[in-house]
Amino acid sequence: MEDMPPGPTFFSPSSQDPLLDQREVARRIAQKYRPATDDPMYVEVLPQEPAPSSVHGIPEGFVAQRSRSPTQWFRVYRQLSKSRLTFLVVLSGMMGYSLCPSSLAVATSLPPVVRLLALAGGITLCSTAANALNQIVEAPYDAQMARTKARPLPRRALTPAHACSVAAVSAVSGVSILYACTNTLTAALGAANIVLYSFMYTPMKRHSIVNTWLGAIVGAIPPLMGWASCTGTLTLPTDAVGWILAGILYAWQFPHFNALSHAMGNEYARGGYRMMAVTNPALNQRVAFRYALALIPLCSVALPLTGTVLAMPYAVLSLIPNLLFAYAAGRFWYRPSEKTARSCFWFSLFHLPAVMVLAMACKTDLWEHVWPSPPPTAHDPSNNSTVDM
């Protein structure tokens, strides 16, 4: 007993820092799930797969891929474009277009319906291009996550060259449609969004949690595109509505995505993504709740003050989904769990369309045609037609 080296007793402080131990465990876990390479063209061959045979130039075990029907190819392209995400992007762009008052719209040779359809088609193609490029870069990492391993590239439904061709055709077509049928500013915003999402946001996801804020900027651009397609400008005081709509989309994305990333935290860690839910879960929950609260003054105060929507009806009606959304985000912040995270995420999918549809239904121009303002009377001091006797 006397030869034993002195060690820490029950009452003596431990010489090891618990925080350092946690960091070491986190480092080992990240190292365990680190991909073999960052090259998206790399395809790992499993040890149990048969080695290629040089006989007749055909490897052993080769099975020719069956030809796909047009319906099957449409399903593949729909997955490549992330059709549900693209639908929300197009809906937000159409909201910016629909809320623009007729007095601010620039007259063009195209009918309004044609311009709206061209805007929707251009945004759809730009979103398809950005999502296809995103999946090309992230294909080796998507293959490691259960949520994304069924995407077209990980399951080899098409080749990276094929996906790149789809992205190039969609980008050129989308920007061209926006340029020809709307204006230069809208086309420039569409091109900028493709670059931001594909070449800045996508690679940043593996390096810094700042990617979440950059991705929110990407999601805030479509309402500006819709507004700019009508007015042709974003710098005048009357363009405040477009910026408020962009602010609503910007704030909405944090509770939406942070809740999703919390529920999929292990998946993102396995794929090597640096998300708030992985590196700082407490910050992830606070940010989600903070921006959910920010939606209340944006919808119930800022937008009604512009006069674009009926002030009191929209302020009251939009308060209902905003308070419910804030409650879901508050539960996620106060009691973080997979259940509260999924509840917040699924409610966000209801919240955004509800706020948009309410804004379109409460548009001031729409109700002026239903209940026109009464003409000024002779006793009205603002009536300039009265003659002083």
Side-chain angles (χ1 to χ4, degrees):
M1 297 295 292
E2 296 178 354
D3 297 335
M4 294 180 61
T9 63
F10 179 80
F11 296 100
S12 63
S14 175
S15 60
Q16 295 183 355
D17 187 356
L19 183 59
L20 294 178
D21 293 342
Q22 294 177 5
R23 292 177 178 174
E24 179 63 21
V25 171
R27 187 190 66 80
R28 292 179 181 178
I29 294 176
Q31 186 68 27
K32 179 180 179 181
Y33 293 109
R34 188 181 300 278
T37 176
D38 288 339
D39 184 8
M41 302 298 294
Y42 173 78
V43 178
E44 183 180 2
V45 179
L46 300 178
Q48 63 269 23
E49 292 185 359
S53 174
S54 59
V55 180
H56 304 297
I58 301 177
E60 295 181 2
F62 173 79
V63 178
Q65 188 177 18
R66 292 180 298 177
S67 60
R68 290 187 174 85
S69 65
T71 304
Q72 292 174 326
W73 276 116
F74 176 77
R75 188 179 299 112
V76 171
Y77 291 145
R78 189 181 62 185
Q79 294 175 334
L80 189 65
S81 67
K82 300 181 182 178
S83 57
R84 296 178 182 176
L85 175 62
T86 298
F87 172 76
L88 290 177
V89 171
V90 173
L91 183 61
S92 63
M94 295 175 66
M95 180 179 69
Y97 180 93
S98 301
L99 287 183
C100 181
S102 56
S103 59
L104 299 179
V106 178
T108 63
S109 59
L110 296 176
V113 177
V114 176
R115 292 172 61 189
L116 179 60
L117 294 177
L119 174 69
I123 294 178
T124 300
L125 290 170
C126 289
S127 178
T128 298
N131 290 322
L133 291 171
N134 168 269
Q135 293 188 49
I136 292 171
V137 175
E138 295 183 347
Y141 318 121
D142 288 344
Q144 303 177 48
M145 298 191 296
R147 185 177 68 91
T148 56
K149 66 182 181 181
R151 286 178 176 175
L153 287 170
R155 62 185 175 89
R156 302 180 184 179
L158 43 72
T159 63
H162 190 160
C164 190
S165 301
V166 173
V169 172
S170 299
V172 173
S173 302
V175 175
S176 300
I177 290 174
L178 293 175
Y179 177 79
C181 299
T182 58
N183 50 55
T184 305
L185 179 58
T186 307
L189 289 173
N193 225 15
I194 296 174
V195 174
L196 282 175
Y197 187 82
S198 305
F199 302 105
M200 296 184 67
Y201 165 73
T202 297
M204 190 178 290
K205 289 167 66 176
R206 303 187 60 80
H207 298 283
S208 173
I209 63 173
V210 179
N211 72 81
T212 307
W213 281 268
L214 182 59
I217 295 176
V218 173
I221 290 180
L224 292 176
M225 295 174 63
W227 184 268
S229 65
C230 281
T231 63
T233 178
L234 291 172
T235 58
L236 299 177
T238 54
D239 297 324
V241 178
W243 291 102
I244 293 173
L245 296 177
I248 293 173
L249 265 293
Y250 179 85
W252 172 85
Q253 290 175 87
F254 288 94
H256 167 77
F257 181 75
N258 288 19
L260 174 64
S261 62
H262 180 91
M264 301 293 177
N266 294 333
E267 298 281 326
Y268 282 117
R270 185 178 296 111
Y273 295 108
R274 295 190 63 83
M275 300 296 177
M276 278 188 285
V278 177
T279 61
N280 195 337
L283 177 63
N284 183 69
Q285 297 142 23
R286 289 198 307 270
V287 169
F289 185 39
R290 184 185 308 159
Y291 281 98
L293 292 175
L295 287 167
I296 297 176
L298 283 172
C299 293
S300 296
V301 179
L303 191 57
L305 287 178
T306 62
T308 306
V309 296
L310 298 176
M312 189 56 65
Y314 183 73
V316 174
L317 292 175
S318 64
L319 192 61
I320 299 174
N322 280 321
L323 288 177
L324 293 175
F325 194 26
Y327 173 74
R331 287 185 61 215
F332 170 53
W333 165 71
Y334 187 69
R335 298 182 182 275
S337 65
E338 184 174 349
K339 179 180 179 181
T340 56
R342 291 186 180 276
S343 175
C344 181
F345 170 75
W346 287 113
F347 191 84
S348 68
L349 299 179
F350 160 78
H351 170 271
L352 185 61
V355 170
M356 291 180 180
V357 172
L358 284 174
M360 296 178 189
C362 294
K363 185 180 178 181
T364 304
D365 284 1
L366 178 65
W367 290 98
E368 283 184 350
H369 291 86
V370 179
W371 290 319
S373 302
T377 60
H379 300 287
D380 190 351
S382 62
N383 186 8
N384 298 328
S385 62
T386 58
V387 180
D388 296 335
M389 299 302 293

